[in-house]
Amino acid sequence: MNARNRFEGKVALLTGSASSLRGSRMGFGGCTAWKMLEEGAKVVITDVQDDKGNASAEQMRSEGHDAIYTRLDVLDESNWADVVDRTLAAFGRLDILVNLAGAQDRGTLYDVDVEEWRRVMEISTTGILLGTRAVIPAMTESGGGSIVNMSSMAGKFAGEYGSAYAMSRSGILHFTRASAIQLAKFGIRANSVLPGWVHTPFTEHICEVDSERDWRSERVPLGRWGEPEEIANAVCFLTSDEASYITGSELLVDGGVTAGFKGNTMPDRD
């Protein structure tokens, strides 16, 4: 299989992907969308940031790709139905869903605002449920499909803050396993990707603080933050036919952090 046409004839829908404008800092969605387009896909980018989304889709089309932007509130079930309908009207099928929309909190479990907790949990869990249900008929009609849910290495361990974020990302992992079992009869695969510390618009507030950025870099066995393109590579692999026998899996792309922090080694012996 030629890696340059892995997505020929495929249609992909990505949530939370407005930050796709080349020439600016892109997120996972932007890098994934461009990679899929360059390998033959037609792409629907969705978000609630309309200016960014429309500009990104226009740039994609100006470079000869088939791409549209449509607004999507992932917590609005009727909005999901409209987006799927628009996808089918524009491209005739739907093969791939990448659930990227998310939210984070900085609170501990004893001081987090309850409304903030609910917002993070709803976007990261209910939003994925509604999206998954919305695409089942279209993917089944297309002969099957692939769903990738964006989790995080935070779903694997606890920390000093971000309790809602960590819990929601852990929930995504089990939801993905359930999806793999329940959607297999429709020919739909479901997998999750767990990024580590990656420089994106989502983490810009951390990268801008030297102490915060460096503290993390020092704890990555590979010694650096990841790049959004490296996460996009993982998503594209799992959504391609190269991963046709992979479902219910968790792909960690964290530079080795969850294997053990750098520096947690035995001292040299004489």
Side-chain angles (χ1 to χ4, degrees):
M1 178 185 297
N2 183 347
R4 299 300 297 175
N5 63 4
R6 288 185 297 179
F7 300 107
E8 193 69 38
K10 302 289 188 181
V11 177
L13 169 61
L14 299 89
T15 71
S17 51
S19 297
S20 301
L21 196 64
R22 277 182 166 168
S24 63
R25 171 65 62 180
M26 287 195 292
F28 303 150
C31 290
T32 301
W34 278 104
K35 189 170 183 63
M36 287 181 169
L37 288 168
E38 289 166 352
E39 296 188 28
K42 299 175 182 179
V43 167
V44 180
I45 56 176
T46 70
D47 212 305
V48 292
Q49 302 179 77
D50 296 339
D51 290 344
K52 286 184 178 181
N54 282 315
S56 297
E58 184 176 348
Q59 185 184 62
M60 291 168 177
R61 291 191 296 270
S62 72
E63 296 195 18
H65 299 298
D66 288 321
I68 60 172
Y69 168 77
T70 184
R71 183 179 180 83
L72 172 61
D73 175 354
V74 296
L75 297 180
D76 186 332
E77 191 166 12
S78 63
N79 198 177
W80 266 109
D82 291 340
V83 169
V84 171
D85 287 344
R86 185 175 179 191
T87 300
L88 296 177
F91 300 130
R93 59 186 295 134
L94 178 57
D95 306 277
I96 295 165
L97 171 64
V98 185
N99 282 308
L100 293 144
Q104 58 184 327
D105 66 302
R106 299 282 290 178
T108 62
L109 58 88
Y110 49 82
D111 66 9
V112 65
D113 179 76
V114 173
E115 287 306 310
E116 183 180 22
W117 173 282
R118 288 175 176 150
R119 179 182 66 88
V120 173
M121 294 295 293
E122 283 283 287
I123 291 174
S124 297
T125 56
T126 304
I128 288 179
L129 166 67
L130 296 179
T132 298
R133 294 203 312 196
V135 303
I136 292 172
M139 284 190 176
T140 303
E141 183 67 23
S142 297
S146 177
I147 299 173
V148 166
N149 297 320
M150 191 62 64
S151 179
S152 167
M153 68 177 184
K156 288 291 188 180
F157 60 83
E160 295 178 353
Y161 65 89
S163 302
Y165 180 76
M167 183 172 176
S168 68
R169 297 291 139 168
S170 179
I172 287 171
L173 300 178
H174 198 66
F175 178 83
T176 302
R177 288 190 287 268
S179 298
I181 298 298
Q182 297 176 24
L183 302 183
K185 64 183 178 182
F186 303 114
I188 299 172
R189 297 183 295 109
N191 295 286
S192 56
V193 171
L194 294 75
W197 291 309
V198 182
H199 190 184
T200 70
F202 197 64
T203 59
E204 193 69 40
H205 66 286
I206 298 175
C207 291
E208 289 176 346
V209 181
D210 291 348
S211 59
E212 293 251 2
R213 182 186 63 249
D214 295 344
W215 181 88
R216 288 163 175 78
S217 298
E218 292 167 1
R219 283 156 178 76
V220 180
L222 289 184
R224 63 175 177 84
W225 283 54
E227 294 297 329
E229 292 82 2
E230 293 173 303
I231 308 304
N233 287 338
V235 174
C236 287
F237 166 67
L238 287 173
T239 53
S240 76
D241 290 341
E242 292 176 341
S244 57
Y245 199 56
I246 300 175
T247 194
S249 75
E250 301 170 5
L251 181 51
L252 277 158
V253 193
D254 67 349
V257 173
T258 52
F261 281 152
K262 180 181 178 182
N264 285 2
T265 57
M266 294 291 290
D268 292 335
R269 295 182 177 179
D270 294 331

